[in-house]
Amino acid sequence: MTSFDTSPPLNVWRALLALSVVFVMLATTGWTAMRAHRETTALQTSLDKWEHGSVHGLHLPDPEGSPARLTRFFATLTAQERDRLVHRYPLAVGNMNGAPAGLRYRANHIALDQQRAVEKKRMHDPRLTAAGQQDAGRRMHRYEALMAKGRQILAFDPDGSGRVAEVFGDLTRAERISVVVPGVDTDLLTFQRTNRQYTAPVGMAKALYGAERTANPATRTAVIAWADYTAPDGLGVGAATGTAAEQGAVRLNALLRALPGTAPVAPVSMFCHSYGSVVCGVAAHGMPDRVSDIAVAASPGMRVENASHLGTSARVWAMRDATDWIQDVPYMEFGGLGHGADPVSSSFGARVLSAHDAQGHAGYFEPGTDSLRNLADIGVGAYGAVTCAHDDDGCRAGLSGTLTAGRA
C-alpha cells in the first residue's frame, strides 16, 4: 500500500471487510458473474508474432518455456540474429524470462520508443476527451523518462495501467540480488516520483542499492524494482483479498527462476512492502532455493498464521514503525478476506527488526533510517549488523555475523 501515508480510520477497514464479505457472497451464490476475456494487447500481439516466427528455418521456442531452455536458445544465436529478434519482437523479448538481461534492456528500449510514439499521437487525438489527452501526455513523458540513458528496464507492458521492472547494478555479474516488491497503487505512472521519491519503487530500489553499497562496498549487488504485477487500486476490495497477490506471485516466481548471477548462484533477498508482502507470502512456497531471505515491512499479513507455514527455507524478517497506521487493520483472514496474522507478532515467528525513524507507512526506504540500514544489511548478508526491534539479539539468534552466500 505504497502511496498511503496517513492512517485511514479503523472503521473504514471494518466497513471494507464487511463489503468484501457481501461481494464474495454475491459472487459465490451466482448473483454476479464475470466473463473472462482475452484482449489483444500490444504484448500479446508481439508474443503471437513470436510464436509464428522462425530462425534458421526452425520455429522459435515457446516464449513461456523454461528459462534454461530459452537461455540456451539465445546462446546459440549470433549477435545479428539476436538483434533481428529484438527489433521484430521487442515486447516479447523484453518480457521473456530466460533472455539475457542486456537483450531485454535493448528490447524494452525499443518497445518504449514505439509506445511513446503511440501516446504522442493520442495527445492530439480529437476523439479523446481533454482528460484522455492529458493521460496520454503523462504516459508519453513516463516512457521518455524510462528511455533515459543508463536505465535498465527488465520488463515493460503498456497494457492497462502498465507494468514495469528496472534493475540497478549489474544483474549478470551480481554476487547478491535484491528484489523490491511494492504495494497498492503501483503502476507505470507511480513507478517513480519526484516528490517523496522513496515512497515509489524506483526510489525504494535506488535507496536500497546505495545502502547496500555502503554496507559492503566489496560485494557486487543488484537491486530490482519489481512493479511487474497488477497491484490493487487503493484500499478497496482488491486490497482486502489475495486475488492480485496470487496473480502477482506467479509472475514473481517466473522472474526469480530466471534470474542470472555469478557462480555459485547469487543469493536473492526479497524486500516486500505493504501489499507487496502479501504477494511474497503467497509466492514463498514456490520460490527457488536461492531465495535466502524474505523481509516484509508495513505488512497487512502474509496470508498465513505462522512463518513456518510459508513453505520456504528462507529466513523471514519483519518490521513495522510505531507510527505506521497498518498496525490498526484487522489481522485476520475469513473466507479469503484479510491477510492473516501480524508478521511482527511474537506468535508469527519472524525475526523482528527495528524500523526506527521509518516515517510512517511509506517511509521504510528513507535514507538514514534504521529500517533501510537493516534491509541493506540483509541484502549483503551482514546479518550480525542488523538491529532488532527489541532490546535483545533475538532477531539474530542462530545467525553468523556476515554471510555472502547460502544460509545460516
Side-chain angles (χ1 to χ4, degrees):
M1 301 169 187
T2 302
S3 63
F4 293 87
D5 291 319
T6 57
S7 171
L10 182 56
N11 60 348
V12 171
W13 272 97
R14 288 173 174 157
L16 282 172
L17 286 172
L19 287 172
S20 299
V21 171
V22 174
F23 175 82
V24 171
M25 289 176 64
L26 291 174
T28 55
T29 55
W31 295 356
T32 64
M34 298 180 66
R35 295 176 181 270
H37 178 62
R38 182 182 181 183
E39 297 182 359
T40 303
T41 65
L43 175 55
Q44 189 59 52
T45 297
S46 186
L47 288 168
D48 289 344
K49 288 180 179 178
W50 170 279
E51 290 174 352
H52 292 90
S54 63
V55 63
H56 302 313
L58 301 174
H59 288 298
L60 298 174
D62 181 355
E64 296 185 1
S66 74
R69 183 187 177 196
L70 289 167
T71 298
R72 289 194 298 270
F73 164 73
F74 282 104
T76 66
L77 304 179
T78 65
Q80 292 78 8
E81 288 166 340
R82 288 193 292 269
D83 189 65
R84 194 176 304 125
L85 292 178
V86 161
H87 282 86
R88 286 183 179 176
Y89 319 105
L91 276 172
V93 175
N95 290 276
M96 196 172 295
N97 291 312
L103 204 64
R104 291 179 69 169
Y105 302 156
R106 287 172 51 203
N108 284 319
H109 186 89
I110 294 169
L112 282 161
D113 192 35
Q114 293 175 348
Q115 292 302 313
R116 181 199 60 79
V118 169
E119 297 302 333
K120 187 173 183 179
K121 289 182 179 179
R122 292 182 69 244
M123 285 175 62
H124 307 288
D125 189 338
R127 295 170 298 179
L128 295 179
T129 63
Q133 292 175 341
Q134 290 172 358
D135 180 68
R138 286 192 294 270
R139 291 176 76 95
M140 187 199 73
H141 291 306
R142 170 63 71 233
Y143 297 152
E144 288 180 339
L146 292 171
M147 291 172 61
K149 184 178 180 180
R151 299 196 72 166
Q152 302 177 134
I153 306 305
L154 187 66
F156 165 61
D157 182 357
D159 185 47
S161 58
R163 299 193 295 253
V164 64
E166 182 171 9
V167 175
F168 299 90
D170 189 335
L171 185 60
T172 303
R173 297 180 63 246
E175 296 172 306
R176 296 190 70 95
I177 298 171
S178 297
V179 182
V180 175
V181 183
V184 304
D185 284 340
T186 299
D187 55 31
L188 273 168
L189 294 180
T190 61
F191 187 56
Q192 66 184 97
R193 293 190 177 94
T194 301
N195 297 321
R196 298 169 51 249
Q197 60 177 310
Y198 302 114
T199 67
V202 168
M204 292 176 176
K206 274 187 175 180
L208 181 61
Y209 181 59
E212 287 182 351
R213 288 168 63 85
T214 298
N216 190 345
T219 298
R220 294 194 303 272
T221 64
V223 179
I224 302 173
W226 190 80
D228 193 25
Y229 80 107
T230 302
D233 183 13
L235 297 178
V237 171
T241 67
T243 302
E246 290 164 3
Q247 296 169 351
V250 173
R251 300 184 63 82
L252 180 58
N253 280 333
L255 166 83
L256 296 175
R257 287 191 292 269
L259 286 178
T262 57
V265 178
V268 177
S269 299
M270 306 299 303
F271 300 101
C272 319
H273 179 253
S274 199
Y275 191 87
S277 68
V278 185
V279 178
C280 290
V282 175
H285 74 279
M287 288 179 178
D289 289 341
R290 68 186 297 187
V291 174
S292 58
D293 298 274
I294 302 173
V296 301
S299 177
M302 301 181 74
R303 300 196 72 78
V304 294
E305 292 304 307
N306 189 276
S308 64
H309 299 165
L310 290 170
T312 177
S313 59
R315 287 172 288 266
V316 180
W317 308 80
M319 62 169 64
R320 186 176 64 217
D321 182 63
T323 64
D324 191 340
W325 58 259
I326 201 73
Q327 64 190 308
D328 294 326
V329 307
Y331 281 97
M332 53 163 280
E333 188 276 328
F334 177 75
L337 305 170
H339 302 304
D342 182 355
V344 303
S345 66
S346 58
S347 60
F348 188 79
R351 299 173 182 272
V352 184
L353 296 160
S354 170
H356 185 65
D357 292 333
Q359 303 180 24
H361 186 68
Y364 290 84
F365 290 81
E366 192 76 28
T369 58
D370 271 4
S371 51
L372 180 61
R373 283 190 293 268
N374 276 327
L375 297 177
D377 286 335
I378 291 170
V380 299
Y383 303 112
V386 300
T387 305
C388 302
H390 308 294
D391 294 329
D392 56 35
D393 297 330
C395 71
R396 297 194 298 270
L399 299 180
S400 58
T402 302
L403 298 176
T404 56
R407 299 185 176 93

